[in-house]
Each structure stands twice: as structure tokens, then as C-alpha cells.
Amino acid sequence: MASLLILPSLSTRCGRELLLTLVVASLLLCPAFLLFGAENPSQAIKIDQVGYPLDGSKVALVTERSTTFVLRRLNDDAVAFRGTLGPAVFDANTGDQVQAADFSSLKQAGSYYLEVPRVGRSYPFSVGAITFERTYYLAMRAFYGQRCGIAVNLGPEFPGYSHGICHMHGEFHPSSGLRGPRDNVGGWHDAGDYGRYMVNSGVTTGTLMWAWELFGPKLKHIQFKIPETGNGTPDLLNEVRWNLEWMLRMQDSDGGVWHKQTSEHFPGFVMPEKDTLPSEVIGTGAAPYKSTCATADLAAVGAIAARVYTPFDAKFAGRALEAARRAWAWAERYPDVTFRNPPGVNTGEYGDASCKDERLWAAAELWRTTGEATYHEFFLGNFAEYLPSLDSPSLENWKTLAPMALRTYVLSARKGADAGAVQAIRERALTAARAIVERTCGNPYRVSMQASDYVWGSNGIAAQYGMDLLIADVLSPDARFVDAARDNLHYLLGRNAFSLSWVTQVGGRSFQHPHHRPSGAFSNQQPWPGLLSGGPNANREDEVLAALASNLPPARNYADQQASYASNEVAINWQALLVFLLAGQLQ
Ligand code: G3I
Ligand code: 9MR
Ligand code: ZN
């Protein structure tokens, strides 16, 4: 039986006109299981495997040629929507011909799947008000899973996802300038390794505390079943404090901060409590032994912590601010002490040729917290050269902190702010956001990424686009900013070349083999939940990627293999960007 339907299509906020399309649907109306095997969804249909908010654009993508699509209710296969596919458009970053299935005008919440003649059916997904809450919960709980210096157990929700207490003893490495024991227990394991790194901790804790400052009312009641739950402090801040306390212990008596605490080389794929390599506090190897970038990062996050913890623990907030002030003073005295791995140390380096942007971030956060002239003068005297850093996310957010400095200044709205500086930053950030929206709408995969973005940690860059767009929406509310931010979340949750959800245990087909020691060293079938994969990396800096076909388009250089640390590791800085992006979507 055929049916004649008039449907709006392409009614997304990408600025396209509402088109009325006359559709003669010639589908034989018969139960879907006769047409498409329910047991094998097609990877040629790309959807956000979590779902779509009721109020925003809802677009799936199809990479095998067809003409129409149908949305069916998951529980009874009833047709909820019929539409036409958009024209096939070539996407150079994936090599795909991509057609859009736009069902934005659907207004009925529920669970659905997409069906495309001659292609198949999609993984299931939801449409509704409560879309990303559980993903946010899992993504934040992943930080609890990364805790060092404590036994971790995800509880009955995830039986067997636990590890013993670890890295309880540390010592000063000769490169630190001191000798003897230095336990410094606590903090988060950085990534798939068990190292703890001040530089990556800086941007990570800063990003998470900003999520609190911007979206706190939506986050304050969400609990993560962590040891501190119910202590009167919101769980997001409870979790961040676990790492902040370790960061504070990395500060020397002179205010300087050592760069990292790791073993001299990476351990094997063992559970954390089985890693018996000495945990070393590692410095630059020469006086003053601490690094300016690590120290300035502590100054910045200490200033933020002083703001966000005051209502919950004024004593801790005061301690954080005092540490920030002392770190600032050390960095003023030693402005250019950069870090390279000292001889015999080959864990993550997080090296950086200049720490001036970290000092700019520290100045901005300290001024925002205290209003004191010293910090304001440094910021006003040095911000202008960094305005171009707002145009697009850096490829290494742990190294490029000027965007954080500029954005915190314009977000602070503190009395006494320099109107010219606020205007210059605001205009640059909003101009960039508008350009990103246009590019995202025109991208066949509806993602903000450019070919040059597909590097180590590219999924973090996709989430960074989302964060920057959400901050633009705070500066100047615009539904197109929110929609484009959400498009990047759709990319991470399945609307990508691999039809893969890049968050573990989220979606109908999530990635399975992260480069993550606790996931590789235990017997559970699924990896630890809520973790974001690093994503495609066209520089192919591991043997797995190097062995892929040589002429792959940039967005296809990915392997869901544990050994691919350059495309499939997890890391706290990328994780924090995912959390920020999710937090901005919560109702
Ligand atoms: O941006 C340049 C690009 O312009 C150039 O063409 C390309 C050619 O090599 O290099 C690009 O820079 C790369 C950068 O990632 C881009 O994101 C660097 O080579 C590459 O070394 C860098 O990778 C870093 C990686 O450590 C290796 O140093 C990642 O940013 C960083 O996130 C990652 O961090 C590791 C820690 O060291 C250890 N813990 C795990 C963590 C995540 O893998
Ligand atoms: O596991 C390490 C991962 O955390 C780092 O990001 C990566 C790059 O520094 O190195 C990984 O360790 C590998 C080492 O570099 C080469 N030998 C195998 C190690 C485990 O995969
Ligand atoms: Zn540990």
C-alpha cells in the first residue's frame, strides 16, 4: 500500500529554508523484521546512539545511496515519521557520500530506529527531554574510576569494576632536586597509563570547575555514588577535589610545582595496585627543578577553586588561593623554566616551549577571583597577542591555555574589567563561533572538525568545539551555537564514519578496546564505562595506525584496538571536555 505524505524536511537550524517535500512513499507496509533484520543494524546509517533532545534538530546520516527513510517506534515498529533523504554530498574527511535524514519536526518523545530502503535499520536511540543525563553520569563517574591512592569500586551497577589501593608510596626523583620519600598520594591516573601530570591536570580541573560555574544549577543534585557523596558538597566538586588535593601536594615550599609524578617508564598492562614501579616526583633536572607551566597551572586552578569551593569549604578554598598566590610569585621569579623528560625518564612529557600562556591564564583567574591589580596588569599587558587563539581549538589543549585565559576574563564580568579588552575578546570569540556554526552546517557529517583537526586526541578537539560554542552561547545566546555544539556530541556518540559510540558502555555499538590499563588487565567483557576514546589521528603515531591503508582520509585513521594508543587511549583532559559538553546539554 502506498501513502501520499507532505513532509517538512531540512528544517534544521542550519539556516536552510523549510522545504515542503511531496513524498510518495512506496514502502510495502509490512513488519520491519521482514524487511530488515532487527539483529544487525546497518553501519551505513549514522545516528547519535544515545539520542536527540525533543527541541533541537534531529538528523541522521546515510552513506549508502537511497531516497527515503522511515522512523519506527522501537516497541511496536509503528511508523512515526516518513521523510526523504537529502542529496548525496561527498565528504573529503571520510571519503563518504553522505545523505541527511532530517526528522527534526518529530515532536513525539520515545525510542525509535531509522529504516532506510535497500540500506537497513539503525541502532536504536531516544528522542526526548531526558537525553544525555546518564551519559553525563557515566562520563563523570569515569574520573572516580581513574582515582589513584584509593581502592575504587563502581558497585553493584558494574560488578567487578574495581581496583585495589595503588601508588601509596612515592619518592623524589633526582631530577626533582631533592631526595627521599614523597608519597603525594591521590589524584587521577592521567589516561591509559598510571602517571599523574600537573600540566594535564591543570586544563582538566579547570574545565570541570568551569562546567560547575556555568551549569551548576543543572549539576548540583546529580550524584556519582563516590565515597564523598552526601557530604554537602556537589559530587562534581567532590570528584575534582580528589585531584586538586594531589596537585597541591606537588607544590614545593618555595611555591614552585614539580612537573609530574610517574614511574621512570610506563608499566605493563597491569591493574594499578599491581604496578610496583617506584612512583617518582619528577622535575627538570636542574635548578630551580620545578617547571613554570606546572606552577602557573596550579596558580590558575587554585584561583578557580577558591571561587567554587568557598560556599562548601571555605578553609579549602582559602588553602587553594594561598597556593595560587605562591605559585604566581614563583612563576614571576622563574617565568621561563620549561620541561623536557630528564635522562632515564620516558613517560608522558607534556612539554611546552612557552609558559607565557599558562601565566596569562593564572593572571586572569587570579584577577577574576581577587580583583587585584597585579594580576590585572599582567593580563591587560599580554592578552592581545593571543586573540587569534580563539579562532579554533588548539590541537593540544593541555599546552595552549590562552583561550582559557581570554574566556575567563570575558566570563568574569568583574567590576573594573577593561571594556576594550572585554569587547575585543567577546567579538573574536563570537565571530569564531559563527564561522564554526556555518562550517558545521555545511559539513556533510554535521561536525565542526577540519582535516587538520584529526590528530592525537581529535575526539577531545570535537568536544572542545562544543565547549567553545556553549561558551559563545553564554556570551550571546543563540540556538545555533547550542545546536552546533550538540552536533559535535552526536559525532562522538555514533554519528561518525565508524558508526561507533566513542564513549565506553554508551550506545548500541560502543568502542571496546581502549588503551587503558585497568580495562586491559581485568577479566570483564566490557571496558570501564563512560570513557572517551582519543579518536582518529592522521599522524598515525603508533604501529597499529601505521599499518592501516596508507591513503586513508584523515577521519578514518582510527582502530578500536588496545595497542593503538595514538587513536584509542583515554585521557582526563579529553574526558573533561566531554563532561563540559554533556553538562551544557542537561535540562
Ligand atoms: O599538532 C602537530 C601537527 O601540526 C603536526 O603536523 C604533527 C606531526 O607530528 O604533530 C602534531 O602534534 C602532535 C600533537 O599530539 C597533536 O595533538 C604531537 O606530534 C604529538 O606528540 C602529540 O601527542 C601527545 C601525546 O601525549 C604524545 O606526546 C598528545 O597531545 C597527548 O594528549 C598525549 O598525552 C599522553 C601522555 O603523554 C601520557 N598519558 C596518556 C596521554 C594520552 O595519550
Ligand atoms: O601506555 C602508554 C600511553 O599512555 C602513552 O600515551 C603512549 C605514548 O607515550 O605510550 C604508551 O606506552 C607504550 C610505549 O609508548 C611503547 N611501548 C608500549 C607501551 C604500551 O602501549
Ligand atoms: Zn594509582
Side-chain angles (χ1 to χ4, degrees):
M1 181 185 80
S3 54
L4 182 61
L5 292 152
I6 292 181
L7 288 174
S9 71
L10 294 184
S11 61
T12 64
R13 289 198 179 103
C14 281
R16 298 194 181 104
E17 294 312 307
L18 190 63
L19 301 176
L20 285 187
T21 307
L22 201 60
V23 174
V24 177
S26 56
L27 285 181
L28 291 176
L29 287 183
C30 68
F33 67 85
L34 290 184
L35 278 179
F36 308 97
E39 67 286 349
N40 56 347
S42 164
Q43 294 175 32
I45 305 175
K46 316 335 188 125
I47 49 109
D48 182 318
Q49 294 176 18
V50 173
Y52 301 80
L54 205 52
D55 64 350
S57 67
K58 305 172 200 62
V59 178
L61 303 171
V62 181
T63 55
E64 286 175 11
R65 195 59 61 91
S66 191
T67 51
T68 61
F69 69 92
V70 176
L71 209 63
R72 289 184 185 272
R73 283 202 307 251
L74 192 58
N75 61 351
D76 61 6
D77 296 320
V79 174
F81 187 94
R82 293 180 192 283
T84 54
L85 294 177
V89 181
F90 178 69
D91 175 65
N93 288 339
T94 59
D96 288 342
Q97 292 284 349
V98 188
Q99 293 179 268
D102 189 318
F103 52 98
S104 299
S105 55
L106 176 81
K107 291 302 176 210
Q108 178 60 49
S111 297
Y112 300 94
Y113 62 89
L114 210 71
E115 196 178 78
V116 181
R118 299 182 299 287
V119 177
R121 62 178 283 173
S122 73
Y123 292 93
F125 59 91
S126 77
V127 171
I130 310 290
T131 305
F132 298 112
E133 275 66 10
R134 175 149 177 87
T135 309
Y136 168 78
Y137 163 80
L138 292 177
M140 260 314 295
R141 224 175 171 220
F143 283 97
Y144 169 57
Q146 293 293 106
R147 284 194 188 187
C148 183
I150 186 173
V152 168
N153 189 329
L154 295 189
E157 192 182 4
F158 292 97
Y161 289 78
S162 60
H163 71 66
I165 197 164
C166 60
H167 305 106
M168 294 303 284
H169 298 293
E171 62 187 19
F172 283 116
H173 187 264
S175 63
S176 69
L178 297 176
R179 291 196 171 287
R182 179 78 174 208
D183 292 342
N184 276 9
V185 170
W188 294 317
H189 300 135
D190 181 60
D193 65 314
Y194 296 134
R196 288 166 279 169
Y197 304 81
M198 278 302 297
V199 159
N200 209 33
S201 282
V203 68
T204 297
T205 51
T207 300
L208 293 172
M209 289 190 282
W210 277 24
W212 170 257
E213 287 195 300
L214 291 174
F215 309 120
K218 297 192 282 189
L219 309 177
K220 63 186 176 185
H221 299 304
I222 302 175
Q223 297 186 334
F224 307 133
K225 300 181 191 129
I226 54 181
E228 301 82 3
T229 295
N231 68 354
T233 297
D235 267 2
L236 184 150
L237 296 183
N238 276 328
E239 189 55 48
V240 172
R241 180 161 176 177
W242 185 262
N243 204 59
L244 288 174
E245 290 280 14
W246 169 77
M247 294 174 79
L248 292 170
R249 284 193 282 273
M250 286 293 280
Q251 186 172 38
D252 194 2
S253 53
D254 65 359
V257 177
W258 288 288
H259 198 76
K260 63 181 182 177
Q261 185 168 2
T262 74
S263 40
E264 283 197 328
H265 56 83
F266 291 115
F269 263 66
V270 297
M271 291 306 283
E273 66 274 19
K274 302 286 188 211
D275 174 18
T276 55
L277 296 173
S279 174
E280 309 275 3
V281 174
I282 293 170
T284 63
Y289 298 104
K290 279 77 74 173
S291 83
T292 306
C293 287
T295 304
D297 278 344
L298 183 67
V301 300
I304 306 171
R307 296 197 300 265
V308 301
Y309 287 91
T310 293
F312 306 104
D313 185 338
K315 189 160 171 283
F316 174 69
R319 195 153 60 89
L321 182 56
E322 183 50 28
R325 290 182 185 279
R326 291 172 50 239
W328 170 265
W330 189 95
E332 283 267 83
R333 187 171 165 210
Y334 302 105
D336 299 307
V337 182
T338 55
F339 176 85
R340 297 304 306 270
N341 269 336
V345 174
N346 58 29
T347 50
E349 188 169 74
Y350 286 117
D352 190 347
S354 165
C355 303
K356 190 175 172 187
D357 52 318
E358 283 80 3
R359 293 177 63 216
L360 188 73
W361 184 32
E365 297 291 4
L366 276 161
W367 175 75
R368 180 173 177 181
T369 299
T370 68
E372 290 168 14
T374 305
Y375 311 124
H376 203 194
E377 283 157 17
F378 182 92
F379 180 82
L380 293 178
N382 292 283
F383 84 94
E385 70 184 87
Y386 292 102
L387 284 168
S389 72
L390 294 172
D391 295 346
S392 196
S394 85
L395 300 177
E396 298 161 291
N397 76 327
W398 51 266
K399 175 186 274 188
T400 314
L401 281 305
M404 295 287 279
L406 299 175
R407 288 193 169 94
T408 203
Y409 189 81
V410 70
L411 286 167
S412 72
R414 171 177 269 280
K415 223 162 81 60
D418 180 281
V422 169
Q423 185 183 357
I425 296 166
R426 187 185 156 79
E427 282 177 4
R428 192 82 185 226
L430 291 172
T431 300
R434 294 184 191 107
I436 291 165
V437 166
E438 288 312 308
R439 188 172 74 232
T440 307
C441 287
N443 181 294
Y445 263 91
R446 298 289 198 295
V447 67
S448 303
M449 301 286 276
Q450 307 177 87
S452 56
D453 290 328
Y454 291 100
V455 297
W456 196 316
S458 68
N459 280 348
I461 296 170
Q464 181 80 63
Y465 275 110
M467 174 172 170
D468 296 352
L469 286 160
L470 289 172
I471 290 176
D473 184 59
V474 172
L475 298 178
S476 175
D478 184 332
R480 291 175 305 162
F481 292 155
V482 178
D483 243 20
R486 198 177 286 151
D487 279 333
N488 290 294
L489 183 56
H490 295 329
Y491 167 77
L492 296 175
L493 295 178
R495 200 173 67 183
N496 55 56
F498 302 90
S499 280
L500 199 58
S501 163
W502 271 313
V503 180
T504 51
Q505 299 209 39
V506 169
R509 181 172 178 265
S510 57
F511 84 104
Q512 295 293 304
H513 307 291
H515 185 86
H516 179 241
R517 285 168 172 76
S519 297
F522 77 161
S523 57
N524 285 345
Q525 280 304 308
Q526 287 285 325
W528 284 68
L531 292 163
L532 176 67
S533 169
N537 173 0
N539 296 323
R540 300 159 58 116
E541 295 109 323
D542 67 46
E543 290 167 11
V544 174
L545 295 178
L548 296 178
S550 57
N551 57 348
L552 287 175
R556 285 200 172 276
N557 290 277
Y558 168 78
D560 184 7
Q561 292 182 40
Q562 176 177 289
S564 182
Y565 48 77
S567 81
N568 212 34
E569 187 159 13
V570 300
I572 58 174
N573 57 320
W574 311 329
Q575 192 73 20
L577 290 164
L578 172 68
V579 164
F580 189 103
L581 179 50
L582 288 161
Q585 304 301 329
L586 303 189
Q587 310 299 323

